[in-house]
């Protein structure tokens, strides 16, 4: 016999999950104590674990990790619902309205005319509407989240600046700038090393964007290669005393 009578069935839907989370927030001591900040890291970790399922092309892992990520979303909304600041309806309404606004050729009352015919054109249209909503290019650049991984944020900042009319260097010029930063890093003092390193990484991310590569993914794959080489070159052995 369970402490709380919850309807057990073969399949559960969105409302079931929401109600279950509400019950946990009242009756489970751990869930009741959590705040946005206390589970912030959980949200990040679950998002990365979803990516792991995608990278492995493993539907079982992906299904489980998407569920865990979904739980984090529901958890955060429940916290805000309790505070009376917004609820699930507000979140879903804002999302649906955003999708409708940013696809004007499909959903606007006067839809028609020349509609985007490629994914690239559709992305340009999305960005155009987004800039209108955010208040222009300056606001769009400022809106890049500081919580993004560094290389990802660097690429995004430079991409939005380019859309604002900032002319980026050519790939050849960017390579030369990167080499210049590497030279500056080699001669940097303790006081200037961090800034020189930041400039090097920022320029590396910019070169990756110009070449159509993903700097964050490139580093992730290099980490994988390092781990594989380490495992081959250093078989398990007893820890040193």
């Amino acid at each position: 016999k369970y402490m709380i009578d919850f309807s057990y069935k073969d399949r559960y839907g969105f409302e079931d999950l929401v109600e279950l989370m509400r019950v946990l927030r009242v009756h489970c001591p751990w869930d009741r104590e959590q705040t946005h900040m206390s589970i912030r890291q959980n949200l990040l970790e679950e998002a990365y674990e979803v990516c792991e399922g995608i990278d492995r092309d493993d539907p079982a892992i992906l299904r489980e990790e998407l569920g865990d990520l979904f739980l984090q979303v529901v958890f955060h909304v429940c916290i805000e619902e309790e505070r009376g600041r917004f609820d699930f309806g507000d979140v879903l309404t804002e999302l649906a309205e955003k999708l409708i606004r940013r696809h004007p050729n499909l959903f606007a009352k006067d839809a028609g005319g020349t509609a985007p015919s490629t994914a690239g054109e559709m992305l340009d249209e999305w960005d155009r509407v987004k800039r209108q909503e955010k208040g222009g290019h300056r606001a769009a650049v400022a809106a890049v989240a500081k919580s993004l991984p560094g290389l990802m944020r660097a690429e995004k900042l430079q991409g939005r600046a380019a859309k604002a009319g900032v002319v980026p260097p050519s790939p050849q010029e960017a390579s030369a700038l990167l080499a210049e930063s590497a030279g500056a890093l080699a001669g940097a003092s303790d006081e200037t090393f961090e800034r020189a390193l930041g400039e090097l990484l920022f320029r590396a991310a910019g070169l990756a964007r110009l070449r159509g590569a993903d700097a964050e993914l490139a580093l992730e794959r290099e980490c994988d290669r390092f781990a594989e080489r380490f495992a081959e070159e250093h078989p398990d052995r007893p820890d040193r005393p």
Side-chain angles (χ1 to χ4, degrees):
K1 183 178 181 181
Y2 293 93
M3 181 185 300
I4 300 168
D5 182 18
F6 197 85
S7 179
Y8 290 83
K9 48 191 177 183
D10 294 334
R11 291 182 68 85
Y12 293 89
F14 175 72
E15 291 300 331
D16 296 316
L17 176 60
V18 171
E19 186 58 30
L20 180 56
M21 189 71 249
R22 288 168 177 160
V23 169
L24 291 173
R25 285 286 290 173
V26 172
H27 297 281
C28 172
W30 185 88
D31 288 282
R32 186 169 58 241
E33 291 179 0
Q34 300 316 303
T35 65
H36 288 309
M37 287 304 299
S38 72
I39 59 173
R40 179 182 183 277
Q41 186 65 25
N42 299 30
L43 178 63
L44 292 171
E45 290 174 1
E46 297 301 351
Y48 280 112
E49 287 173 3
V50 167
C51 292
E52 182 80 7
I54 293 171
D55 293 342
R56 292 188 182 188
D57 192 25
D58 187 318
I61 293 177
L62 183 58
R63 182 178 62 243
E64 178 182 0
E65 300 305 340
L66 283 171
D68 290 343
L69 181 59
F70 200 15
L71 170 62
Q72 295 303 311
V73 174
V74 170
F75 211 146
H76 284 283
V77 178
C78 273
I79 292 172
E80 285 302 306
E81 185 180 60
E82 293 163 9
R83 294 177 174 182
R85 300 200 294 192
F86 61 77
D87 60 20
F88 290 94
D90 296 321
V91 172
L92 297 176
T93 297
E94 187 168 327
L95 173 59
E97 289 177 346
K98 179 189 296 184
L99 291 173
I100 292 168
R101 283 196 315 273
R102 295 188 185 175
H103 293 83
N105 293 93
L106 292 175
F107 300 114
K109 292 180 180 179
D110 56 351
T114 304
S117 59
T118 67
E121 291 176 355
M122 187 62 250
L123 185 58
D124 288 341
E125 179 71 357
W126 176 283
D127 287 340
R128 182 188 66 78
V129 177
K130 183 175 182 177
R131 285 194 300 274
Q132 290 179 342
E133 295 172 0
K134 300 296 183 181
H137 288 292
R138 181 181 297 179
V141 171
V144 175
K146 293 183 178 181
S147 57
L148 286 173
L151 291 174
M152 189 182 298
R153 185 184 179 205
E155 283 188 288
K156 206 170 189 69
L157 283 168
Q158 293 177 67
R160 291 196 180 178
K163 289 181 179 179
V166 175
V167 179
S170 67
Q172 293 75 21
E173 292 169 334
S175 296
L177 289 170
L178 187 59
E180 177 186 297
S181 292
L185 184 66
S189 65
D190 290 344
E191 291 75 20
T192 61
F193 180 82
E194 182 179 298
R195 180 165 184 174
L197 178 60
E199 181 182 80
L200 175 71
L201 295 172
F202 190 81
R203 286 179 169 176
L207 177 58
R209 189 186 70 82
L210 293 170
R211 293 291 301 269
D214 183 324
E216 197 73 39
L217 183 60
L219 180 57
E220 179 184 324
R221 288 174 175 169
E222 184 58 30
C223 288
D224 290 340
R225 287 189 286 270
F226 173 84
E228 290 168 4
R229 289 196 305 271
F230 183 87
E232 292 172 0
E233 298 169 4
H234 299 81
D236 287 338
R237 62 188 67 179
D239 291 338
R240 294 179 179 179

